Amino acid sequence: MNPLPLLEVRDLEVAFHQAGEIPLTAVRGVDFTVPPCATVALVGESGSGKSVTALSILRLLPESHARLHERSRILWEGRNLLEFSPQAMRTLRRRSMGMIFQDPLGALNPVFTIGMQLGESVRRAEGMGSARQVRRRTLELLAQVGIANPAARLSAYPHQLSGGQQQRVMIAMAISTHPQLLIADEPTTALDVTVQRQIMTLLRELQRELSMAILFITHDLALVGEIADEVVVMRQGRVVEQGRCSEVLVAPRHDYTRALLTCRPTLGNLPARLPMIDDQGNLMPARDSSSPRTPDPLSVALEVEGVSKSFVVQGSGWRRSRFQALEPLGFALQTGRTLGVVGESGSGKSTLARMVAGILAPDTGRIHFPGAGVPGRSGRATQVQMVFQNPFASLNPRFTIAQLLTEPLMLQGLGSHADERLALAVRWLERVGLNERALNRYPHEFSGGQRQRIAIARCLTVNPRVLICDESVSALDVSVQAQVLNLLRDLQDELDLSLLFISHDLAVVRFMADEILVLYAGQVVERGKAEDVYARPRHPYTQQLLKAIPQGIPLSSQGEG
Amino acid sequence: MTQIYSSRRSENAWSLALRRLWRDPVGRFSLGVVMCYLVLVGMVLAGWLGARWNDPVAVNYAPPTWCASVANRVTLPAGEAWDRSSVIPLYGWTDPLEPLWSEARAAAQRIQPEPVSYRLTLLFGADKWGRDVGQKVLKGTQTSVWVGLVAAFVATFIGTVLGALAGYYGRWVDDLLNGFYGVLTSIPYLLLVFAVAAVFQQKGVGTLILILGLTGWTGVFRLVRAEYLKHRTREYVLAAGALGASHGRRVWVHILPNVSHVILVQFSQNLVGFIKSEVILSFLGFGVPVSSVSWGSMLNEAQNELILGKWWQLGVTTVAMAIFVTALSLLTDALRDALDPRLNS
Amino acid sequence: MSGLLFLVRRLGQALLTLLGVILLVFVLFNWVGGDPALILAGKMASAQDLANVRHQLGLDRPLWQQFLDFVGQVLRGDYGESWATHEPVSAIFRSRLGPSLTLLIPMLVLETLVAIAVALLVAALRGSWLDQGVRMVSTVAMSISLLVYIIVGQYVFAYLWGWFPVKGWGDSVLTNLRIYALLPVLLGLFVSVAPSIRLYRSFILEEIDQDFVRTARAKGLSEVRILFVHVLRNAAIPIVTNILMGLPGLLTGAFLLERFFAIPGIGREIILAVERSDFPLIKAITVYVAMATLAVNLLGDLCYRWLDPRVRLE
């Protein structure tokens, strides 16, 4: 190991001061070291302070209300960069550091071309004057980050590129300076899993080529194993555990790290229930499944036949062209079973969910609930309900929990009077693990996981037979995700619910689903029993998807660094 | 699963916002000032204040007390004005009106037991006819603020209803209403107000409110429509639909409370705008009738007085208006910050 | 969408809106406005007189025919005679345009320059005492009626101190600019600059908070370059659109200045027309100004497309 580390963070403490609010300490006493040419991963769930840590290294926190404690020191090659003048700090950023962000579209200036923005970096980094030199270097960089036909891309604007290409341009900008350190803040979180795979490969290659250090910030431990030499696990602003990847990921010492590793379903490991993390960060082992499911194979809860959908998009001139979001497709969902729908963005999976839920009307085909003959089950609402992706958006912020839960009962004419409806609401609230103290509170007082449970309780108040989960756990942290997934499986066993489980996350779908439907660009490319599809994917797209899943295995070769 | 709830009392978005507003010193101060004005307006409406604004109580152009060193008042002897019989000789005839005269004299004695007194100075000075500027500004404040308030209610109501319908239903409803909006906004606001004022031949507070309210709703419409466009595809609205809520319920029960902050801010912005418009209209003589008084009509009188060096009516009116409008503008800004939904999570 | 098709489409929309304006004006003056004959013929008119006036104006014909007449008037640009002065209305409009523009163009140019400069300065120094001070002063300044500025300004600078003529207008543009328009332009600038500063400041701040500014900082660009290249280029989109959209309002917005300083412009003419119930003149001015607004809005849309590649290349 090099005796002088590239970057040392010592006792970093950051607090945010808002006028009239209690100061909020986001990072408390964080220590870690980045050796030259090594990759260090900063891992944590939301609120762990990992991004704040990254931004404070570049001194990019908003100066008006972010305060660093005077004890805190950030040493760049031994010198405290918190004491640098703004001019010296700019020079450091220009010469020695690069950064890429989670949302590449927002991070690029929308009104300037790629060529201009990249050229700006190049000119500043290398002090090159002539336009031809800058252009040559710009093209070289674009080629280096794997953008096809770079000359044609120079005059493109950011919004004309795909998400993956935008992130490549960001990377090109960051490495234009030959940085010694690249800070990557969740660089693949907003991208599809196949694109994520490409970007990760690119980062790894570039690191080797340019021999730079990378500070890789992520919430996903599985990615860490693929790229990092060392890992720093953060929770609520503190470092919980740190060490070499090969040790931490294989034999984690801290409960929280162990929990992060096991809470997330993986393709190889299929327990009936997932382990969870309690509020103190301790691991709670998975309960045994209460009873094996014995679904009635004859009863079909949902039948979809030849359903398709297209949308009008503003085309050129007066003619409005149509965009086919979903080609005609059909399937049947049996009572008490789960159909997993897998696809990347733009595959039409949300369109399918919304049509089944009755929010969108299909162009062709029909959606049928064979149980609808049962008395008291007249409306669509009592047949099917939907849990949305974002629990912060799906609960009306101006309603109390009591209003949220009793409204559907009132609308569906369930419960004869207000007290009875409230009692029903309490029962469902308790069923999802909350209690009646929540009734008079507003959604913003609950955490993401609690809100998602409330959303599930709201769906269940009308006793639907089919529950649609459209990316319902995608916005949640790993530990909370495990709670919600376990809850869904418990409820399914108990109520004989049929689930239409939609996600981009193949591992999560594998954990939930009995059967699988793979969607690509509005078409079903593969379907079958879950174990068959995952074990022997036939369609190339499915194979590619499965290959792209981060495996969470530490790097075998640890030669560099 | 253990639960962690925040320990403080549960609050809805409005009381949270109010608390945030109260914590902001500027917000607290401006809210206080605006409330004082509203109480004042209420008292004038009830007739407790400013009811005698039309009485001449001082000499013409009596200056404000604090910049005059003259004795305070002139007193006219009692009953002098009524002593007709001593002036006109009757040559033995009996005045056929004598019984009426004596009756009138007796009445005058009863009504005015004290001598009529005209003040030489007043706290805020007097106008051309010796009316107390202080009383006038109370009454004028009431007129201007009241016109602004009611017109803002009308405009906000129209704008909200039409904006909600256009934004939520889209399609031909939106095309139609948006077309109407396009027509109204392609005529500059004041020109539109003038055109409508020219058409309404009678003046009065009611007409003024109607003109301002019917022409001023476009700003509310635009913002409310945009909010509804945004909210109608939000997940909570889709969820309400999936749970069986009707369109009407989604528009008025689910979405409306979530855009109410926009409406409130628009209301107070409209209030500022309408008060300014009222002042201009009344100044030009298209606003309140001569029998009434508002900030605008006071400025109109003040314009001619200024050339004679009588600046007090102008000064008092300007200050009264500036304090209210400044406080209202500051309150609007503070409200906007306090109601920012991004702060709610 | 290609530029030409977009233009054709927007033109069609503008024409439709213009038709709406014509209809609105017609409904206001020929229907809501009551019987113009009562205004024209005077209070002492007999029934016969009234009928004559109505016939003369074509008011005894069915409404739809009157509407078609009005559309014809608009198409020909001939709105008949003023009821007050019996001059042709279009001639009045033409002769009043010059003075209005002499007043407005310098005002607009100065206001835009001053407002953008100050807004950039206070946005860059957000939260400083200068920013707070400018905000406070502009809030108070905006709350005083513009009438007060004009009344006091005219009294102090022209009447009391004699720096400028109290009122008047000459024949040559240069004389007008140098002598008569000076005080009105300065007063108008003073009144209109405060709201513009506030608005532009908010446009600039919105861009300053965007992620791409963080990227620019991470690239090590200087704050000056970030502000003047990255932020200003983005903020220019709403600022330019806002200036263009505000143009037609200026045409009438200066009517108070024109009235106080006896400048024979369009704004003063409108007030006179409203005072005299001169319906043909009000109708004509409304339609003309609406046409100008629609044209400028169209220009604004084109500018917006040209400035914002996200819209242009969609």
Side-chain angles (χ1 to χ4, degrees), chain B residues 109-187:
Chain B
Q109 294 281 338
R110 273 201 310 280
I111 293 165
Q112 287 185 311
E114 284 171 41
V116 184
S117 60
Y118 289 106
R119 296 167 67 112
L120 281 181
T121 67
L122 283 166
L123 183 56
F124 294 114
D127 71 358
K128 190 173 160 188
W129 290 282
R131 294 182 296 190
D132 184 353
V133 171
Q135 291 276 317
K136 276 182 77 179
V137 86
L138 281 176
K139 181 66 186 165
T141 300
Q142 181 259 310
T143 312
S144 292
V145 174
W146 182 246
V147 166
L149 270 178
V150 180
F153 266 116
V154 173
T156 312
F157 181 77
I158 299 176
T160 302
V161 171
L162 297 186
L165 294 178
Y168 182 82
Y169 288 103
R171 294 165 183 271
W172 65 268
V173 182
D174 190 28
D175 288 345
L176 189 77
L177 292 173
N178 215 21
F180 189 40
Y181 166 83
V183 168
L184 276 189
T185 48
S186 66
I187 306 170

Side-chain angles (χ1 to χ4, degrees), chain A residues 107 109 117 120-121 314 317, chain C residues 9 215 219 221 225 230 234:
Chain A
N109 195 326
Q117 296 189 55
E120 194 180 35
S121 287
Q314 202 72 22
Chain C
R9 203 190 177 105
T215 310
K219 276 157 87 170
L221 300 185
R225 187 175 168 86
H230 286 264
N234 277 281

Side-chain angles (χ1 to χ4, degrees), chain A residues 20-21 279 354 359 381 385 388 390 393-394 396-398 407 412 433-435 438 440-442 444-446 458, chain B residues 1-3 5-6 10-14 16 23 235-236 238-239 242-245 249 253-254 257-258 260 344:
Chain A
E21 309 261 344
D279 292 316
R354 288 176 181 203
I359 293 167
Q385 278 302 319
F388 290 85
N390 185 351
S394 64
N396 192 335
R398 303 285 163 128
E407 192 201 23
Q412 295 304 325
L434 289 110
N435 64 29
N440 291 319
R441 291 170 189 275
Y442 288 88
H444 67 86
E445 298 173 73
F446 296 90
R458 179 177 60 177
Chain B
M1 285 170 249
T2 43
Q3 293 169 33
Y5 296 130
S6 52
S10 187
E11 281 181 304
N12 68 17
W14 280 107
L16 254 177
R23 214 161 39 199
E235 289 182 351
Y236 77 90
L238 298 182
L243 287 161
R249 191 174 169 84
V253 179
H254 283 270
N258 283 293
S260 51
N344 272 349

Side-chain angles (χ1 to χ4, degrees), chain C residues 96-163:
Chain C
R96 304 299 187 262
L97 194 59
S100 279
L101 291 181
T102 315
L103 193 61
L104 291 170
I105 292 173
M107 211 161 94
L108 181 74
V109 171
L110 284 176
E111 186 217 308
T112 307
L113 293 179
V114 173
I116 292 180
V118 176
L120 268 175
L121 185 70
V122 294
L125 303 172
R126 166 164 47 165
S128 68
W129 61 267
L130 183 72
D131 180 29
Q132 309 258 6
V134 168
R135 262 175 78 185
M136 200 61 215
V137 168
S138 62
T139 306
V140 175
M142 276 161 67
S143 67
I144 296 172
S145 176
L146 71 163
L147 285 164
V148 175
Y149 292 108
I150 301 176
I151 293 173
V152 173
Q154 192 179 30
Y155 174 71
V156 172
F157 298 116
Y159 180 82
L160 219 53
W161 295 350
W163 293 0

